[in-house]
Amino acid sequence: PEVEVSSWALRADISKNLFVVTPYAGLGVNLSNIDVTGSGATWDGDMTETVYYGGLEWNLMILHLGLEIGRSGGETYGKLGARLAL
């Protein structure tokens, strides 16, 4: 079978830098499409999900730590992250 997948995301964020901490919030939409063909059959599926999220980023010199909680497609998720900003 032949499979073709495409995915797009559109986001809008708002944030405020408060010296060491940056709170943020946002909303968006995820658009996905999958097409499967083979053995004389075709299947096509489209999906659209709304995304809501908010979080905090701590800026400690070159180390940035993040915490995010959100809701997408009826599921709640959480993320922790760290990155170096040189």
Side-chain angles (χ1 to χ4, degrees):
E2 183 177 321
V3 178
E4 184 177 320
V5 178
S6 63
S7 179
W8 291 87
L10 177 64
R11 302 276 192 267
D13 296 327
I14 187 168
S15 65
K16 177 66 177 163
N17 190 349
L18 303 173
F19 185 60
V20 177
V21 177
T22 303
Y24 64 91
L27 61 99
V29 64
N30 294 333
L31 307 167
S32 302
N33 176 274
I34 184 168
D35 295 317
V36 180
T37 57
S39 302
T42 301
W43 182 81
D44 181 19
D46 291 313
M47 185 171 65
T48 303
E49 296 179 338
T50 304
V51 181
Y52 307 93
Y53 53 93
L56 290 172
E57 186 171 282
W58 289 272
N59 303 313
L60 308 169
M61 302 290 277
I62 64 169
L63 179 63
H64 293 216
L65 303 173
L67 168 68
E68 181 176 301
I69 296 175
R71 188 146 178 94
S72 176
E75 299 291 329
T76 301
Y77 67 89
K79 293 194 293 189
L80 294 173
R83 64 185 170 95
L84 294 176
L86 303 175

